[in-house]
Amino acid sequence: MRTRLVMTVAALVAMVTVFVPSASAVDSSSAARTGHCPERVNVTVFRDGGPPLLDWRENLEFDGRGMLWVSHSVRNRVEGYTSDGKLAATFPVSGPGGIRRGPDGMMYVNFGVSPLATTGGVMRFDPAAARPQAEKVVTGTPGINGLAIDDNGNFYLSRELATGVLKVRPDGTRDEEWTRKANVFGTNGLEIVGDQLYASVITSTRSPVVRIPLDDPAGHTTVAVLSGGLLDAKLLDDLAYFNGDLMVTSFRHGELVRVAPGTGRACVLASGLRMPTSVRVARGFGEYRADRDLSVTEASGRIVRVAVG
């Protein structure tokens, strides 16, 4: 959040290009010229927002039990919505960020994701509880943002202003060797697909998406380069895996970009969004379908539904 806020206020004046891992499969000239996808897309508002930036909703996740959980960074709370748009639950979390469902069915949310935070970590809550309450399971990790959890319960935390995706074991200890090898600077969104961790990089004017093998983090490569430089830098935020492709949010351009992980080819699936911060595939949420519906949070405060096809 802090990087996007600074870059938005400063109008990208202070933004600089940083290290991006190389990959032979990337065609940067074609990737930077991102056209529109052929599919028809319908964007509708699930929940209206408030004053831009002051009603910043940072991330979201479906629990598969009929609830959509949303991190509201400015109000320092996590919100739970039913499929009819009703706000059914709230509880306090200081500077909530990435939020994900764990393999144990519990929900996990980063805390301390705010410009003034001096510490951070991960909290856990039971989405089935009548009144959910969050408890800390990881502490001492300032400067984090995105979150991914593998099948073994390991946490992966992105860091916008540091090198290395941080890996934390289920017992709360850090895997320093893995983190050192996953030496990508400025990661934001994280998504695990099989044995691969995909990450968007927000601090590079080339707007890359990278792939980090879970069993060989030093072998990370660039999947796609979505910008040609400073003038068209997308400020990539969160991403999700949907129907065989990656869906990547462009905070600056208000886009949802589809990226083929095998070829790096990209197209704009949806545009006209208002500073999108996260995207997730619908799961167990009323009439929403996993093969059709995506939900997106925005720094405008809105939550929108993107129906594809």
Side-chain angles (χ1 to χ4, degrees):
M1 178 181 179
R2 70 193 67 196
T3 300
R4 284 159 294 161
L5 184 60
V6 170
M7 290 180 178
T8 301
V9 173
L12 298 175
V13 173
M15 190 176 181
V16 297
T17 303
V18 296
F19 171 76
V20 178
S22 62
S24 59
V26 174
D27 180 354
S28 61
S29 61
S30 61
R33 297 191 297 270
T34 309
H36 284 270
C37 304
E39 293 88 351
R40 188 175 69 175
V41 173
N42 184 35
V43 179
T44 56
V45 177
F46 175 79
R47 181 177 178 85
D48 286 321
L53 303 182
L54 298 179
D55 197 31
W56 190 307
R57 286 183 169 86
E58 171 66 12
N59 214 271
L60 75 164
E61 176 70 298
F62 296 90
D63 64 12
R65 302 174 179 175
M67 291 286 285
L68 170 63
W69 297 95
V70 178
S71 55
H72 196 307
S73 296
V74 177
R75 294 185 183 176
N76 294 302
R77 72 183 191 184
V78 169
E79 305 169 334
Y81 293 92
T82 55
S83 60
D84 60 1
K86 178 184 176 182
L87 177 61
T90 64
F91 56 91
V93 172
S94 179
I99 182 168
R100 293 293 179 265
R101 182 177 184 267
D104 56 359
M106 301 289 277
M107 300 294 293
Y108 294 83
V109 58
N110 290 349
F111 71 91
V113 182
S114 65
L116 301 179
T118 57
T119 187
V122 182
M123 303 186 81
R124 175 177 60 205
F125 66 93
D126 183 355
R131 295 184 177 180
Q133 294 182 344
E135 60 176 345
K136 294 179 180 179
V137 293
V138 176
T139 58
T141 57
I144 60 173
N145 190 331
L147 172 66
I149 309 172
D150 67 22
D151 291 339
N152 296 318
N154 294 298
F155 302 103
Y156 301 86
L157 308 174
S158 68
R159 301 187 290 180
E160 295 178 339
L161 298 175
T163 298
V165 175
L166 180 61
K167 180 179 179 180
V168 181
R169 303 180 184 92
D171 64 2
T173 60
R174 297 191 188 191
D175 189 333
E176 300 287 3
E177 181 180 2
W178 195 99
T179 299
R180 185 170 58 254
K181 291 180 178 179
N183 60 337
V184 182
F185 183 89
T187 53
N188 191 316
L190 300 174
E191 177 78 329
I192 293 176
V193 182
D195 59 357
Q196 306 291 319
L197 174 66
Y198 291 90
S200 61
V201 178
I202 191 172
T203 51
S204 170
T205 57
R206 302 278 285 171
S207 305
V209 176
V210 303
R211 179 193 295 113
I212 305 172
L214 293 178
D215 60 356
D216 181 24
H220 54 79
T221 56
T222 299
V223 174
V225 173
L226 301 178
S227 301
L230 177 63
L231 295 181
D232 66 341
K234 291 183 177 293
L235 291 188
L236 298 184
D237 212 304
D238 204 10
L239 72 168
Y241 187 69
F242 175 70
N243 290 346
D245 291 322
L246 298 170
M247 302 293 143
V248 190
T249 51
S250 166
F251 183 85
R252 181 188 180 192
H253 290 175
E255 297 171 341
L256 188 58
V257 182
R258 186 175 73 187
V259 177
T263 64
R265 293 185 179 180
C267 60
V268 176
L269 184 67
S271 57
L273 304 175
R274 303 174 185 174
M275 297 175 288
T277 55
S278 183
V279 56
R280 301 308 293 165
V281 179
R283 174 171 49 187
F285 197 63
E287 66 175 7
Y288 284 51
R289 288 176 16 202
D291 63 346
R292 181 192 64 193
D293 295 305
L294 301 161
S295 286
V296 176
T297 49
E298 300 176 335
S300 72
R302 297 193 313 171
I303 305 170
V304 302
R305 176 183 182 180
V306 180
V308 182

